[in-house]
Short mmCIF file of all heavy atoms in Angstrom, two decimals:
data_model
loop_
_atom_site.label_atom_id
_atom_site.label_comp_id
_atom_site.label_asym_id
_atom_site.label_seq_id
_atom_site.Cartn_x
_atom_site.Cartn_y
_atom_site.Cartn_z
N LEU J 1 -4.43 -1.23 11.50
CA LEU J 1 -5.76 -1.53 11.05
C LEU J 1 -5.94 -3.07 10.67
O LEU J 1 -6.92 -3.72 11.06
CB LEU J 1 -6.21 -0.64 9.98
CG LEU J 1 -6.39 0.92 10.33
CD1 LEU J 1 -6.64 1.70 9.11
CD2 LEU J 1 -7.50 1.05 11.38
N ALA J 2 -5.05 -3.53 9.93
CA ALA J 2 -5.11 -4.91 9.52
C ALA J 2 -4.97 -5.83 10.69
O ALA J 2 -5.70 -6.82 10.78
CB ALA J 2 -3.94 -5.19 8.55
N PHE J 3 -4.14 -5.48 11.64
CA PHE J 3 -3.93 -6.27 12.85
C PHE J 3 -5.21 -6.28 13.66
O PHE J 3 -5.71 -7.28 14.16
CB PHE J 3 -2.81 -5.76 13.71
CG PHE J 3 -2.63 -6.47 15.00
CD1 PHE J 3 -2.12 -7.77 15.10
CD2 PHE J 3 -3.09 -5.83 16.19
CE1 PHE J 3 -2.07 -8.31 16.27
CE2 PHE J 3 -2.97 -6.48 17.40
CZ PHE J 3 -2.38 -7.73 17.48
N GLU J 4 -5.82 -5.04 13.83
CA GLU J 4 -7.03 -4.91 14.61
C GLU J 4 -8.20 -5.68 13.94
O GLU J 4 -8.94 -6.38 14.67
CB GLU J 4 -7.39 -3.47 14.82
CG GLU J 4 -6.56 -2.69 15.73
CD GLU J 4 -6.76 -1.22 15.88
OE1 GLU J 4 -7.57 -0.75 15.00
OE2 GLU J 4 -6.16 -0.55 16.69
N LYS J 5 -8.22 -5.67 12.64
CA LYS J 5 -9.27 -6.38 11.94
C LYS J 5 -9.13 -7.91 12.09
O LYS J 5 -10.05 -8.59 12.39
CB LYS J 5 -9.21 -6.00 10.38
CG LYS J 5 -10.30 -6.64 9.55
CD LYS J 5 -10.17 -6.18 8.17
CE LYS J 5 -11.25 -6.82 7.29
NZ LYS J 5 -11.18 -6.49 5.87
N ALA J 6 -7.83 -8.37 11.99
CA ALA J 6 -7.51 -9.78 12.17
C ALA J 6 -7.92 -10.16 13.60
O ALA J 6 -8.48 -11.26 13.84
CB ALA J 6 -6.16 -10.10 11.79
N LEU J 7 -7.53 -9.32 14.58
CA LEU J 7 -7.75 -9.60 16.01
C LEU J 7 -9.27 -9.63 16.24
O LEU J 7 -9.76 -10.56 16.97
CB LEU J 7 -7.09 -8.53 16.81
CG LEU J 7 -7.22 -8.75 18.38
CD1 LEU J 7 -6.65 -10.03 18.83
CD2 LEU J 7 -6.60 -7.49 19.04
N SER J 8 -9.97 -8.72 15.72
CA SER J 8 -11.41 -8.69 15.86
C SER J 8 -12.11 -10.02 15.27
O SER J 8 -13.00 -10.57 15.89
CB SER J 8 -11.98 -7.48 15.12
OG SER J 8 -13.40 -7.50 15.20
N SER J 9 -11.59 -10.40 14.16
CA SER J 9 -12.06 -11.61 13.52
C SER J 9 -11.79 -12.83 14.38
O SER J 9 -12.65 -13.65 14.57
CB SER J 9 -11.40 -11.76 12.14
OG SER J 9 -11.80 -13.00 11.55
N VAL J 10 -10.55 -12.94 14.95
CA VAL J 10 -10.27 -13.96 15.83
C VAL J 10 -11.05 -14.03 17.07
O VAL J 10 -11.50 -15.03 17.51
CB VAL J 10 -8.69 -13.91 16.18
CG1 VAL J 10 -8.37 -14.86 17.27
CG2 VAL J 10 -7.81 -14.22 14.90
N LYS J 11 -11.28 -12.82 17.63
CA LYS J 11 -12.08 -12.76 18.88
C LYS J 11 -13.51 -13.16 18.64
O LYS J 11 -14.09 -13.95 19.42
CB LYS J 11 -12.10 -11.21 19.38
CG LYS J 11 -10.82 -10.91 20.13
CD LYS J 11 -10.94 -9.47 20.72
CE LYS J 11 -9.76 -9.07 21.44
NZ LYS J 11 -9.84 -7.67 21.92
N SER J 12 -14.05 -12.79 17.47
CA SER J 12 -15.47 -13.13 17.18
C SER J 12 -15.50 -14.70 16.90
O SER J 12 -16.49 -15.32 17.45
CB SER J 12 -15.97 -12.39 15.95
OG SER J 12 -15.34 -12.80 14.80
N ARG J 13 -14.57 -15.19 16.27
CA ARG J 13 -14.51 -16.68 16.01
C ARG J 13 -14.36 -17.40 17.38
O ARG J 13 -14.91 -18.40 17.66
CB ARG J 13 -13.45 -17.08 15.11
CG ARG J 13 -13.90 -17.18 13.71
CD ARG J 13 -12.83 -17.75 12.77
NE ARG J 13 -12.05 -16.64 12.24
CZ ARG J 13 -10.76 -16.73 12.13
NH1 ARG J 13 -10.09 -17.83 12.43
NH2 ARG J 13 -10.09 -15.73 11.66
N ALA J 14 -13.48 -16.78 18.27
CA ALA J 14 -13.20 -17.41 19.63
C ALA J 14 -14.52 -17.40 20.45
O ALA J 14 -14.80 -18.44 21.19
CB ALA J 14 -12.14 -16.64 20.30
N LEU J 15 -15.21 -16.28 20.32
CA LEU J 15 -16.50 -16.25 21.03
C LEU J 15 -17.54 -17.31 20.51
O LEU J 15 -18.26 -17.95 21.29
CB LEU J 15 -17.07 -14.91 21.05
CG LEU J 15 -16.35 -13.88 21.84
CD1 LEU J 15 -16.96 -12.42 21.51
CD2 LEU J 15 -16.44 -14.17 23.32
N GLN J 16 -17.60 -17.48 19.24
CA GLN J 16 -18.49 -18.36 18.55
C GLN J 16 -18.09 -19.85 18.90
O GLN J 16 -18.91 -20.71 18.95
CB GLN J 16 -18.51 -18.24 17.06
CG GLN J 16 -19.11 -16.88 16.66
CD GLN J 16 -18.93 -16.48 15.17
OE1 GLN J 16 -18.33 -17.39 14.46
NE2 GLN J 16 -19.42 -15.42 14.71
N GLU J 17 -16.84 -20.08 19.06
CA GLU J 17 -16.38 -21.44 19.21
C GLU J 17 -15.63 -21.55 20.56
O GLU J 17 -14.40 -21.73 20.53
CB GLU J 17 -15.50 -21.90 18.10
CG GLU J 17 -16.18 -21.74 16.66
CD GLU J 17 -15.19 -21.98 15.58
OE1 GLU J 17 -14.07 -22.41 15.85
OE2 GLU J 17 -15.63 -21.73 14.49
N SER J 18 -16.34 -21.47 21.65
CA SER J 18 -15.70 -21.44 22.99
C SER J 18 -14.91 -22.73 23.26
O SER J 18 -13.90 -22.79 23.90
CB SER J 18 -16.67 -21.11 24.06
OG SER J 18 -17.68 -22.21 24.08
N SER J 19 -15.41 -23.82 22.77
CA SER J 19 -14.76 -25.13 23.07
C SER J 19 -13.45 -25.20 22.33
O SER J 19 -12.42 -25.65 22.87
CB SER J 19 -15.61 -26.32 22.69
OG SER J 19 -15.89 -26.32 21.26
N LYS J 20 -13.46 -24.71 21.08
CA LYS J 20 -12.22 -24.59 20.31
C LYS J 20 -11.24 -23.70 21.01
O LYS J 20 -10.01 -23.97 20.98
CB LYS J 20 -12.40 -24.20 18.85
CG LYS J 20 -13.16 -25.31 18.04
CD LYS J 20 -13.21 -24.86 16.58
CE LYS J 20 -13.85 -25.90 15.75
NZ LYS J 20 -13.90 -25.59 14.33
N LYS J 21 -11.73 -22.59 21.55
CA LYS J 21 -10.89 -21.67 22.20
C LYS J 21 -10.16 -22.29 23.42
O LYS J 21 -8.91 -22.09 23.56
CB LYS J 21 -11.71 -20.48 22.68
CG LYS J 21 -10.84 -19.36 23.41
CD LYS J 21 -11.73 -18.31 23.92
CE LYS J 21 -12.14 -18.59 25.37
NZ LYS J 21 -12.84 -17.49 26.08
N ASP J 22 -10.85 -23.06 24.18
CA ASP J 22 -10.28 -23.70 25.36
C ASP J 22 -9.18 -24.74 24.85
O ASP J 22 -8.10 -24.80 25.47
CB ASP J 22 -11.33 -24.42 26.11
CG ASP J 22 -12.29 -23.53 26.87
OD1 ASP J 22 -11.90 -22.31 27.04
OD2 ASP J 22 -13.34 -23.88 27.16
N GLN J 23 -9.53 -25.41 23.75
CA GLN J 23 -8.50 -26.31 23.19
C GLN J 23 -7.31 -25.55 22.70
O GLN J 23 -6.12 -26.00 22.95
CB GLN J 23 -9.10 -27.16 22.07
CG GLN J 23 -10.16 -28.12 22.44
CD GLN J 23 -10.85 -28.73 21.26
OE1 GLN J 23 -10.57 -28.50 20.07
NE2 GLN J 23 -11.76 -29.73 21.53
N LEU J 24 -7.52 -24.45 22.09
CA LEU J 24 -6.29 -23.60 21.58
C LEU J 24 -5.56 -23.06 22.78
O LEU J 24 -4.22 -23.12 22.66
CB LEU J 24 -6.87 -22.47 20.72
CG LEU J 24 -7.30 -22.81 19.30
CD1 LEU J 24 -7.90 -21.56 18.73
CD2 LEU J 24 -6.27 -23.41 18.50
N ILE J 25 -6.18 -22.68 23.82
CA ILE J 25 -5.46 -22.19 24.96
C ILE J 25 -4.55 -23.31 25.51
O ILE J 25 -3.45 -23.12 25.90
CB ILE J 25 -6.41 -21.55 26.01
CG1 ILE J 25 -7.03 -20.28 25.46
CG2 ILE J 25 -5.65 -21.32 27.38
CD1 ILE J 25 -8.03 -19.73 26.45
#
């Protein structure tokens, strides 16, 4: 559950910050 929560949080942030996501990739 903690992992899924963290993953969900990361996904939502990744969607909000698409440019940062590309940089992270």
Side-chain angles (χ1 to χ4, degrees):
L1 290 173
F3 174 77
E4 287 175 354
K5 185 177 179 183
L7 182 62
S8 175
S9 174
V10 169
K11 281 183 180 178
S12 67
R13 269 190 269 139
L15 289 172
Q16 292 170 1
E17 305 172 7
S18 62
S19 65
K20 287 185 179 181
K21 180 182 95 173
D22 292 338
Q23 291 173 356
L24 287 173
I25 290 173

